[in-house]
Amino acid sequence: MTANYIDELKRYQPQVNEQAVAAIVKHLGIALKSADASMVSCSSKDELARVRESWLKKKLALTADDATLDKYIAEICTVMKGDNRKSRVTFYYLLAEKVGKLGSLG
């Protein structure tokens, strides 16, 4: 399963940290079983707040203010704007990379 996420990430990043991908997949666990929960909706304020609170603040331990964290999320939404269905694993990976936290994942 991780291989599929790695292939998808290579569309955005030629060099993928496979250990970080595995850590994200492990973190998300059962959520990846649900088609809905395995995707991120950039049009849902509640969804983006959940990404900020559970991924950026809780898992990655970022302490920046909400406006800064929301800016990071918006940038990844822009990067992935061509994807109608944004994979949560890819989204989280790109966010972790943006904030310099990939190394802490894998």
Side-chain angles (χ1 to χ4, degrees), residues 6 14 18-19 22 31 37 48 50 56 58 61 64 66 73 77 79 85 96:
I6 291 168
E18 294 183 22
Q19 290 177 328
L48 299 181
R50 203 169 16 260
L56 293 178
K58 190 174 180 182
D66 287 356
I73 292 168
C77 285
V79 167
R85 299 181 50 80

Side-chain angles (χ1 to χ4, degrees), residues 1-93:
M1 174 159 60
T2 303
N4 293 342
Y5 297 119
I6 291 168
D7 289 343
E8 182 178 322
L9 269 160
K10 286 184 177 180
R11 292 180 22 219
Y12 298 100
Q13 188 61 260
Q15 299 297 320
V16 176
N17 179 331
E18 294 183 22
Q19 290 177 328
V21 173
I24 293 168
V25 169
K26 182 179 177 185
H27 169 75
L28 291 172
I30 200 155
L32 295 177
K33 303 272 186 222
S34 163
D36 213 29
S38 68
M39 301 294 160
V40 172
S41 172
C42 286
S43 62
S44 169
K45 289 182 181 181
D46 290 341
E47 169 71 16
L48 299 181
R50 203 169 16 260
V51 169
R52 181 186 66 228
E53 298 301 318
S54 67
W55 180 243
L56 293 178
K57 288 183 177 180
K58 190 174 180 182
K59 179 66 179 173
L60 299 183
L62 297 182
T63 57
D65 61 270
D66 287 356
T68 299
L69 298 177
D70 289 344
K71 185 181 120 200
Y72 298 150
I73 292 168
E75 288 175 17
I76 301 307
C77 285
T78 299
V79 167
M80 295 184 73
K81 70 181 174 192
D83 291 342
N84 290 331
R85 299 181 50 80
K86 294 165 184 60
S87 161
R88 189 170 299 276
V89 172
T90 299
F91 198 93
Y92 281 18
Y93 181 98

